[in-house]
Amino acid sequence: MTLAAPDHRATELAAAFVELRTALGKVLVGQDDAATGLTLALLAEQHAYLEGPPGCGKSELAAALAALSGARTHTLVFHRDIRETDLLGDVLLSRHRHRGHERLRRELIPGPLLQAEIALLEDLPRSPGEALGPLLRILAERHALGQPLPLESAVATGPLEQVEAPIDPLEPGQLDRFAVQLRLTGLLAGGLFDEAAVLLERGAAREPSRAAIRSTAGSAHPPAVISTATRKAAQRAAAALQVEPRTLDAYHRLLDRLRQRTADESASGDRLMSDRSFSSAALRLVRAHAFLRGAPAAAPRDLGAIRYMVAHRLPEEVQEDFDHILEELLGDPPNVTMAKTGAQMPGAQSQGDDSDGAAAASPASDSWIDDQADLPAPPTLFGKPPPPAQVDPLLRALVGRIERGRIDPDTDPGGQPRGYRPLRDLDELIDADLIEALLFADGRLPGAPRTFERKRKSAGGAVAVLRDISASMAGRLTVWSSQVVLGILRVAARRRMRVGYVEFHHRALPHYVGGRLLHRSYSRLAEQAGQAKAVGQTNYEAPLRTALEGLRGGSGRNRHVVLLTDGLPIIGDTTVRRERQLARRLGVALHTVFLGNGDCPPVLDDISLETGGLRFYGRPLAGGGLRLEER
Amino acid sequence: MSDLTPLRDLLDHHVVGHDEVKTALLLALVTREHIYVEGPPGTAKTRLAEVAAKGSELDFFFYQLHRDTRLAELVGDIVLERRKVKTDGGAPGTAGEAERIHQRIEPGGLLTAEIAVLDDISRAPGEALNVLLRILNERRFGAEPIPLMAAIATGNPMDDEYYNEPLDPANLDRFALQLRVSGLIQSGVDEAKTLIDRFAAGSVVEQPDPEPVTDRATLDALNKRMYEVEVGAAVRAALLDVLRTLVLEFECNETNSLLTDRTFLVKAIKILRGAALLAGRDAVDLPDLAALSWMTTFRVPPEAHEALPRIIGRISRQVRAV
């Protein structure tokens, strides 16, 4: 099977993909890592999910991959009103007379998406569940309408989770369909000013740049660098590559290490190591990595390909450590830098550490590493912050309370389609099932066509955050409580809840926007929360009174107050008896979070227990961090 | 002198004041960037957009967004094509007919316009805007390029009282130029008097249709010239310094700002070139950096936006000193 001639052929095939990678790396400044990840995804025939802030080039990179690879491509832009027929294809309605009765059948004729070799799924998270479900199933099964799909890779793009974005993020289980997960960083936001200068210089050239051409005359994509035959041959060859036993052994140890680190309670973020991804998909990527290197078999260092899988599968701390974990495991001195950009492949520079020394002479060994690999590491922008507070447990519990107290989505003509209902008046035809509308118009439909039932999650609900800024909250407590406040703001923003923010010491210092305590200016509060200075003594009564007065005018059941403190009240009514009563009457849940050392003041328990609020405290962690846990 | 002086005169003739918005509108036409103007009702936002559109004799599409806005209303009609096909019926002994139904869009509206005015964009639900704004950004629909030069969107301030939802940050980023206007009378500027005087003198006819004073060929030529405007190393360094200051000193980051690469590293160059061209120069000079203020309005925190002229001034002095 492995004769000299096929080897030679494999080298050529690898070289073609190396060229693809190099060309892709030139599309964007400073996003080499993503270019490598996408190349591996195509070679391993895996799906990829690209996320990043707006305007960092996600779509451009995905489109360039499709163009450079010469694959038959279909682009689908996801939006609220996307329908099954957009995904699947045309409808075939047939009528058959059979032994005296007539049978009506409705079938789908595979559309362009089902015929694509590369599917570009833009803004995937914006899709309503109705369209997303079938799509994700198709991607996983690579089979639709009773036939296998020619699909090699689907590349989806999506926004970073953002404070004010009105969309719900994809769940880890949905994201798991995408073996490769890449996170792009903006050059400016990431402080990569050297790369930014390169981009500025490109744009300042005295001719319309590619971006400029695009904005006047549609897209101008680079020509294909490989043929379909080469692409498919390379994919087959990569999939057939042997995985050395020591690689498998190392892989098992790597999984052990990742499991250990992920189980560590101090880690926060996603964690989903599914069998689906970490068996077949991972090994396909490892093989592709070896193939790209021109190696005859997958060596332990090819496990580096796993790092392109971890963005939504492992906690952030573990992601950041991934390269170290792997290096440690392989027993190699760290020989590669893994800056976020200017990336090179793990192990790509190490020479002769294993049996593929012969391959070092092949075009794949080094030449596909971009010249820009030596760009300086991003500068550290700020001083070293204290170890972060782990606020996720609190946020999860709070989200649970909010969801429970929340009104079901309301019918709203501008909302997301969430099911069907019969047509009530003819204006709704635009939203009706097209085929049924057609039959209806023909007089062939008994009854009315079904139409989308649109619902929008209630924008109701409010949360007021009361934050102790008395003198004892100085130092890291200030930083931590800022993190808690920011977390709550994100939770509220996602649900379009109104927010209020009151800092307090001996007095309450509410932050009004437009004369109101409750509003939706999330970012303004977020900014405010970052500037708190600790001063004065503690008074619970004043801030509770302020918050409840602010909530009193509002309606709806979903009203919350989160009291964040580190100490006993000294000033004002220390039992806050009247405020507790008022909260009960208004149906406001008072949640308390105690960040201080020592015992939690009993009054906080009373406040929470009486009003059905949560009780949390900050448990110090080894290493100086803090984790919020239920009292 | 730029070739757009007649258009500027036309704007001045029809609308009093709002100097910045007028300049920014011309800049949008020259650079082919989209512009978003936010302000309370009755501040001539829509009127300015209309005059600019009609005065440049472009195919014009006006659309008032509302909370039920559907894609089809913006891009044309949804057409169902029905075609009879023969079928063998699938089972023995059956014969029948079938109909293949294909859904497509007959281009109209935004897809055929050269200039679009999207009124009250903040009234449309964020989810519905997504496709619209993507079309604006890519200037193509499916595989087809569209003739759109610039979209002018207007919106109301994001106060609760207007029952608007703030635009999704990613959506706002599609508008390279962003301005905030306030009413002349409310802000008590000198032009308020002019405005009232004009109406008092009866010299203003309500909503007259502006005559075209320029055309597509002129705008095409200007756009071509724009790419020949030189952007020297000093200006680029100054621009980067401004951006660095926003990131490092004003702590603009992904949570509080929309300092995207697309806007500030790619489009900013175009805007600077356009500003130089409108000022009648063939090279970008440091004063042109002032145009950056029209890019930061809703992208950075208010205090950073307000500080921008000062930052630009300081950096310009430093660059000159070198």
Side-chain angles (χ1 to χ4, degrees):
Chain A
M1 208 164 85
T2 50
L3 298 171
D7 267 348
H8 179 64
R9 176 84 180 122
T11 310
E12 270 175 31
L13 293 174
F17 262 81
V18 167
E19 196 186 339
L20 171 67
R21 214 282 350 171
T22 308
L24 197 56
K26 286 182 184 149
V27 171
L28 297 183
V29 179
Q31 307 283 10
D32 290 305
D33 225 12
T36 305
L38 279 186
T39 307
L40 284 176
L42 180 63
L43 184 55
E45 295 180 86
Q46 296 299 318
H47 306 315
Y49 184 71
L50 268 177
E51 68 175 8
C56 70
K58 302 181 290 288
S59 304
E60 197 174 350
L61 193 66
L65 173 78
L68 288 165
S69 69
R72 191 165 56 241
T73 306
H74 183 65
T75 306
L76 203 57
V77 179
F78 283 81
H79 54 90
R80 181 194 61 170
D81 297 330
I82 202 154
R83 299 188 187 222
E84 205 186 19
T85 52
D86 293 322
L87 295 176
L88 302 177
D90 290 352
V91 174
L92 189 70
L93 266 185
S94 53
R95 266 197 287 190
H96 302 291
R97 277 175 294 279
H98 180 63
R99 288 182 195 155
H101 63 263
E102 193 183 68
R103 200 171 51 188
L104 267 179
R105 231 179 33 208
R106 177 179 170 162
E107 296 162 274
L108 284 165
I109 300 171
L113 181 68
L114 303 189
Q115 292 162 19
E117 293 164 330
I118 292 186
L120 300 182
L121 311 172
E122 302 267 11
D123 279 345
L124 185 68
R126 290 187 196 268
S127 168
E130 276 73 13
L132 199 56
L135 176 78
L136 292 176
R137 203 172 53 241
I138 290 169
L139 291 186
E141 294 171 359
R142 293 165 187 268
H143 218 268
L145 308 181
Q147 45 184 294
L149 302 180
L151 185 68
E152 294 164 22
S153 293
V155 182
T157 60
L160 274 188
E161 249 184 68
Q162 265 192 341
V163 173
E164 285 179 34
I167 55 169
D168 293 333
L170 294 179
E171 292 157 18
Q174 297 175 317
L175 282 169
D176 192 45
R177 312 278 179 180
F178 299 90
V180 171
Q181 302 176 339
L182 302 164
R183 199 169 276 160
L184 269 62
T185 320
L187 303 181
L188 286 175
L192 302 169
F193 296 109
D194 291 339
E195 287 85 347
V198 174
L199 191 53
L200 280 180
E201 202 181 333
R202 260 196 205 184
R206 268 212 192 184
E207 66 208 66
S209 67
R210 202 154 32 79
I213 295 168
R214 240 162 62 96
S215 67
T216 47
S219 64
H221 291 307
V225 295
I226 55 178
S227 70
T228 293
T230 307
R231 194 179 72 241
K232 289 191 183 292
Q235 287 164 340
R236 273 196 306 275
L241 217 62
Q242 295 283 327
V243 180
E244 291 179 27
R246 63 196 177 110
T247 310
L248 281 180
D249 180 56
Y251 184 46
H252 287 302
R253 281 183 291 137
L254 175 66
L255 288 179
D256 279 341
R257 287 288 291 136
L258 294 179
R259 259 193 307 269
Q260 277 167 23
R261 288 290 306 269
T262 303
D264 179 355
E265 58 178 327
S266 69
S268 67
D270 294 327
R271 47 193 82 196
L272 182 68
M273 292 173 65
S274 75
D275 294 350
R276 167 171 54 208
S277 307
F278 283 88
S279 57
S280 100
L283 289 176
R284 288 288 298 266
L285 287 169
V286 169
R287 288 189 176 102
H289 186 272
F291 185 78
L292 208 50
R293 258 187 333 118
R301 73 190 205 196
D302 293 312
L303 293 174
I306 309 284
R307 61 189 284 260
Y308 300 109
M309 298 181 60
V310 297
H312 283 282
R313 294 193 171 96
L314 299 177
E316 259 169 52
E317 295 90 326
V318 185
Q319 284 175 41
E320 278 162 22
D321 262 11
F322 182 85
D323 294 317
H324 277 117
I325 294 174
L326 187 62
E327 276 159 18
E328 244 174 60
L329 200 77
L330 299 182
D332 280 345
N335 52 8
V336 283
T337 48
M338 273 305 146
K340 280 245 153 89
T341 58
Q344 39 200 57
M345 289 293 297
Q349 279 192 334
S350 66
Q351 297 288 331
D353 66 330
D354 45 40
S355 58
D356 59 289
S362 80
S365 58
D366 278 323
S367 61
W368 60 287
I369 299 166
D370 206 276
D371 299 337
Q372 297 183 346
D374 289 330
L375 286 171
T380 316
L381 301 188
F382 311 106
K384 197 172 156 49
Q390 286 162 32
V391 300
D392 277 5
L394 170 70
L395 297 183
R396 275 196 295 269
L398 196 59
V399 166
R401 289 303 170 95
I402 287 168
E403 295 295 336
R404 206 195 299 166
R406 200 176 150 137
I407 317 151
D408 289 332
D410 283 331
T411 305
D412 182 311
Q416 293 265 8
R418 294 183 190 271
Y420 288 101
R421 61 171 173 75
L423 184 92
R424 289 197 201 109
D425 76 64
L426 284 180
D427 284 351
E428 296 175 351
L429 263 181
I430 193 171
D431 243 10
D433 179 284
L434 288 169
I435 303 305
E436 290 193 6
L438 205 66
L439 291 173
F440 178 69
D442 284 355
R444 282 154 67 191
L445 189 78
R450 54 187 189 154
T451 181
F452 278 144
E453 172 126 80
R454 292 181 178 274
K455 286 183 171 177
R456 158 173 285 178
K457 284 189 180 173
S458 154
V463 56
V465 185
L466 317 182
R467 173 184 179 175
D468 192 342
I469 54 160
S470 64
S472 57
M473 289 289 275
R476 50 177 55 181
L477 277 179
T478 300
V479 177
W480 287 335
S481 49
S482 291
Q483 287 165 357
V484 176
V485 175
L486 288 177
I488 294 171
L489 286 177
R490 279 189 200 106
V491 164
R494 170 74 45 74
R495 286 156 188 82
R496 313 282 317 142
M497 295 173 80
R498 288 182 298 155
V499 289
Y501 179 54
V502 182
E503 291 176 353
F504 67 94
H505 35 66
H506 48 282
R507 285 194 308 130
L509 308 167
H511 290 276
Y512 292 110
V513 172
R516 292 185 189 80
L517 179 67
L518 299 170
H519 50 79
R520 295 196 176 90
S521 302
Y522 309 106
S523 42
R524 201 185 295 190
L525 285 193
E527 203 182 298
Q528 190 66 46
Q531 295 169 355
K533 300 243 178 342
V535 62
Q537 290 170 322
T538 304
N539 174 355
Y540 288 176
E541 184 191 3
L544 277 173
R545 165 81 29 197
T546 309
L548 291 170
E549 288 303 329
L551 286 163
R552 187 202 279 273
S555 61
R557 290 172 291 171
N558 208 4
R559 289 176 294 172
H560 305 260
V561 170
V562 184
L563 176 68
L564 205 60
T565 181
D566 75 323
L568 278 168
I570 297 172
I571 298 171
D573 174 8
T574 56
T575 65
V576 290
R577 193 176 42 82
R578 273 175 310 169
E579 283 69 29
R580 277 148 53 186
Q581 271 172 8
L582 179 59
R584 275 208 306 277
R585 209 172 66 238
L586 294 174
V588 174
L590 302 180
H591 312 283
T592 56
V593 181
F594 181 67
L595 291 178
N597 295 321
D599 292 336
C600 174
V603 61
L604 286 181
D605 286 336
D606 293 344
I607 291 174
S608 288
L609 290 173
E610 275 181 30
T611 61
L614 298 163
R615 294 178 297 152
F616 270 76
Y617 81 110
R619 188 167 68 81
L621 294 175
L626 185 81
R627 180 182 163 86
L628 295 183
E629 291 184 357
E630 215 149 343
R631 296 203 295 269
Chain B
M1 275 278 109
S2 83
D3 297 348
L4 284 185
T5 314
L7 190 56
R8 174 61 197 244
D9 291 345
L10 188 74
L11 288 171
D12 285 338
H13 176 72
H14 283 274
V15 178
V16 177
H18 300 302
D19 188 52
E20 279 199 273
V21 185
K22 289 172 182 169
T23 311
L25 275 174
L26 299 187
L27 197 52
L29 285 175
V30 170
T31 57
R32 309 222 163 149
E33 285 298 343
H34 307 310
I35 176 169
Y36 173 69
V37 183
E38 186 178 285
T43 42
K45 300 186 296 289
T46 310
R47 183 65 182 151
L48 277 167
E50 213 178 7
V51 173
K54 294 195 171 157
S56 44
E57 206 179 21
L58 297 171
D59 279 340
F60 176 61
F61 171 62
F62 176 91
Y63 189 74
Q64 171 93 40
L65 285 105
H66 53 91
R67 63 172 205 157
D68 306 346
T69 298
R70 295 270 184 278
L71 178 64
E73 298 169 52
L74 290 162
V75 297
D77 296 316
I78 292 182
V79 177
L80 286 181
E81 285 174 343
R82 313 165 65 169
R83 198 154 46 85
K84 293 255 186 272
V85 289
K86 286 260 178 284
T87 164
D88 61 4
T94 62
E97 54 194 46
E99 212 177 2
R100 181 172 179 161
I101 299 160
H102 175 68
Q103 183 190 338
R104 65 178 184 86
I105 286 171
E106 180 70 42
L110 195 63
L111 301 189
T112 51
E114 291 174 307
I115 187 162
V117 175
L118 304 167
D119 216 22
D120 271 347
I121 198 165
S122 46
R123 277 194 209 282
E127 307 97 310
L129 282 175
N130 178 34
V131 173
L132 162 69
L133 295 165
R134 178 168 285 273
I135 297 170
L136 293 185
N137 186 46
E138 299 184 348
R139 290 159 201 266
R140 67 189 160 102
F141 187 67
E144 289 298 302
I146 58 170
L148 186 71
M149 291 176 66
I152 303 166
T154 70
N156 287 324
M158 300 189 224
D159 286 347
D160 262 354
E161 53 187 311
Y162 292 105
Y163 298 98
N164 290 332
E165 288 185 18
L167 287 171
D168 178 346
N171 287 343
L172 258 186
D173 194 44
R174 311 292 192 208
F175 299 91
L177 296 165
Q178 317 180 326
L179 279 87
R180 187 178 272 134
V181 293
S182 43
L184 302 178
I185 293 175
Q186 183 102 43
S187 47
V189 290
D190 290 344
E191 285 113 341
K193 191 172 171 308
T194 319
L195 179 68
I196 292 167
D197 289 350
R198 265 210 210 182
F199 274 92
S203 68
V204 176
V205 186
E206 287 288 334
Q207 306 286 311
D209 233 17
E211 291 292 315
V213 292
T214 182
D215 54 21
R216 173 104 200 187
T218 310
L219 290 170
D220 281 348
L222 270 173
N223 183 252
K224 204 156 162 266
R225 262 170 60 197
M226 184 201 81
Y227 285 107
E228 283 153 20
V229 171
E230 195 185 320
V231 189
V235 170
R236 291 203 308 270
L239 170 59
L240 196 60
D241 261 354
V242 171
L243 297 173
R244 201 194 309 262
T245 307
L246 287 176
V247 172
L248 299 180
E249 272 177 43
F250 286 82
E251 298 182 5
C252 294
N253 58 40
E254 280 167 17
T255 62
N256 62 17
S257 306
L258 202 63
L259 218 54
T260 64
D261 299 348
R262 168 172 57 208
T263 307
F264 287 96
L265 298 178
V266 179
K267 291 188 175 174
I269 294 279
K270 282 175 78 178
I271 300 296
L272 294 182
R273 281 176 154 159
L277 195 61
L278 282 181
R281 273 183 276 106
D282 57 7
V284 178
D285 200 358
L286 292 170
D288 297 323
L289 288 172
L292 290 177
S293 279
W294 296 330
M295 305 183 70
T296 53
T297 313
F298 301 105
R299 290 189 170 99
V300 302
E303 69 279 2
H305 174 65
E306 278 153 30
L308 198 63
R310 215 172 58 233
I311 300 171
I312 292 172
R314 190 184 74 205
I315 288 169
S316 297
R317 279 193 299 280
Q318 285 165 0
V319 170
R320 265 199 210 95
V322 173

